[in-house]
Amino acid sequence: MTQETLKIAVQKSGRLYEGSMQLLKECGIEISNGNNQLRVLSGNFPVEIFFLRDDDIPEYVQDAVADIGFVGQNVVNEKNKQVQVIEKLGFGKCRLSLAVPKNGPLQSVNDLNGKKIATSYPVILAAFLKEKNISSSIHEISGSVEIAPRIGLADAICDLVSSGSTLFTNELKEIETILSSEAVLVSNKELSTSKKIILESLLFRIRAVRKAKNNKYVLLNAPNNKLESICKLLPGMKSPTILPLAEPGWSSVHSVISESDFWNVIEQLKAAGAQGILIIPIEKMVM
Ligand code: PRT
Ligand code: ZN
């Protein structure tokens, strides 16, 4: 009997391709071929990768052509298919925003009443406008949305933004974020038991990789009389590990801190008397 495989839909090329392949690699899943094939089997984990256009992924997952997919939350919301969002993946971060000409008369969302908005996200935009009780006409275009106001096609745009430089070069300013997005793992709603087991095992690895990315290992030397105040700054997984150094009166302290607290905590550690602080990336973290 051949073992069942979990079919994973990944964007064939574009902004999510690298992040998706990198995540699978960090999960220890070998994918031998590049993206020149539609379908690739892993050599060491029961998954098959399907390379597709991102817009098609929600529908293919709904229809069980693929079992799960890596796709932007923006595409999930826009396509509105029957899929389950299982996990945020931490890459492909962006926001869907409303933007208007920088020096024009429009200043806020309420000014959009009766105006024309160009977007590739008519479904999300319509829901947002309805909720805010604003009636604008939505002009759907598939690309180069940012030039619409300049060529007189629309008064405002609703488009994805990451660095903001596209808006800047087109003399547009953001007035409202409609959706914060990142790549997510979506799943078909009726996976077989054996596919659920493979998915659980994949999720276990994804969570370990993501957790490790959000944390750093800290190693430092502390004079024993400052240990207490230094340890208070370090939450660690349970509590910091403290080992005596060969030099009398000094200890080595090992702990884990989260990426978001990083700079703040490092400065405080230094101020509290810590020396020889080493910050080491963590490869995987299993709690
Ligand atoms: O061919 P296919 O249909 O698969 O790809 P695509 O061209 O539709 O999508 P692609 O590869 O451009 O984007 C895939 C996904 O990446 C999107 O659905 C988002 O989830 C995510 N993502 C993250 C982005 C951006 N950041 C992003 N900045 N998608 C698009 N952009 C565009 C945006 O539309 C605008 O034109 O980049 C420009 C703005 O970028 P900044 O940095 O100048 O603000
Ligand atoms: Zn697309």
Side-chain angles (χ1 to χ4, degrees):
M1 196 188 98
T2 52
Q3 197 193 5
E4 199 162 20
T5 58
L6 187 74
K7 294 176 282 182
I8 309 179
V10 164
Q11 191 188 22
K12 183 170 168 47
S13 61
R15 289 185 158 86
L16 302 184
Y17 172 77
E18 283 297 333
S20 303
M21 298 310 282
Q22 176 71 20
L23 179 61
L24 290 170
K25 192 175 162 199
E26 286 167 345
C27 287
I29 298 171
E30 287 167 10
I31 312 291
S32 54
N33 287 300
N35 65 342
N36 51 353
Q37 279 174 288
L38 173 65
R39 206 183 125 196
V40 180
L41 266 171
S42 164
N44 66 350
F45 196 76
V47 292
E48 237 176 306
I49 314 298
F50 284 69
F51 295 104
L52 303 166
R53 281 202 57 201
D54 68 342
D55 313 70
D56 296 333
I57 292 176
E59 184 167 348
Y60 281 153
V61 170
Q62 170 190 272
D63 298 346
V65 175
D67 300 308
I68 64 166
F70 296 167
V71 68
Q73 181 71 56
N74 52 301
V75 173
V76 177
N77 290 21
E78 182 64 24
K79 299 294 170 187
N80 210 4
K81 302 289 177 191
Q82 292 299 309
V83 296
Q84 233 174 321
V85 175
I86 306 278
E87 190 83 2
K88 291 183 178 181
L89 299 176
F91 61 91
K93 287 191 177 168
C94 58
R95 53 196 188 270
L96 185 66
S97 289
L98 283 165
V100 296
K102 200 160 43 188
N103 303 314
L106 305 176
Q107 292 298 329
S108 74
V109 180
N110 290 324
D111 298 338
L112 296 176
N113 240 321
K115 303 291 182 204
K116 205 171 180 184
I117 310 173
T119 189
S120 308
Y121 291 88
V123 172
I124 301 176
L125 177 58
F128 172 81
L129 293 172
K130 188 167 177 227
E131 192 200 303
K132 295 271 168 182
N133 221 353
I134 293 166
S135 94
S136 314
S137 76
I138 298 176
H139 186 78
E140 184 178 352
I141 45 179
S142 57
S144 304
V145 175
E146 64 280 0
I147 64 167
R150 224 181 332 134
I151 59 172
L153 205 61
D155 303 296
I157 67 164
C158 168
D159 199 12
L160 295 175
V161 181
S162 47
S163 68
S165 65
T166 301
L167 293 184
F168 183 80
T169 6
N170 288 282
E171 303 198 330
L172 296 165
K173 66 172 178 204
E174 244 175 307
I175 53 168
E176 179 103 5
T177 298
I178 296 186
L179 174 78
S180 291
S181 184
E182 67 185 83
V184 294
L185 189 161
V186 291
S187 168
N188 177 274
K189 289 193 165 173
E190 284 155 41
L191 293 185
S192 67
T193 310
S194 55
K195 288 189 179 200
K196 274 187 191 152
I197 293 170
I198 304 170
L199 176 58
E200 273 314 308
S201 159
L202 174 64
L203 279 173
F204 177 81
R205 295 185 184 199
I206 289 176
R207 286 171 185 151
V209 168
R210 297 257 295 119
K211 186 112 193 141
K213 275 208 169 87
N214 292 332
N215 288 280
K216 299 271 178 259
Y217 193 81
V218 191
L219 236 169
L220 57 85
N221 294 333
N224 288 345
N225 60 355
K226 305 262 174 67
L227 264 179
E228 202 184 324
S229 51
I230 286 174
C231 289
K232 272 193 194 138
L233 297 166
L234 292 166
M237 279 198 276
K238 285 206 169 62
S239 56
T241 307
I242 302 165
L243 302 166
L245 283 181
E247 193 174 326
W250 282 80
S251 297
S252 160
V253 179
H254 301 224
S255 188
V256 171
I257 59 173
S258 84
E259 180 87 68
S260 54
D261 297 336
F262 180 74
W263 288 112
N264 198 11
V265 173
I266 297 305
E267 274 176 32
Q268 293 182 54
L269 287 171
K270 191 104 184 56
Q275 291 186 12
I277 306 173
L278 292 182
I279 310 300
I280 302 159
I282 299 170
E283 175 148 321
K284 306 278 187 295
M285 211 164 143
V286 179
M287 305 302 281

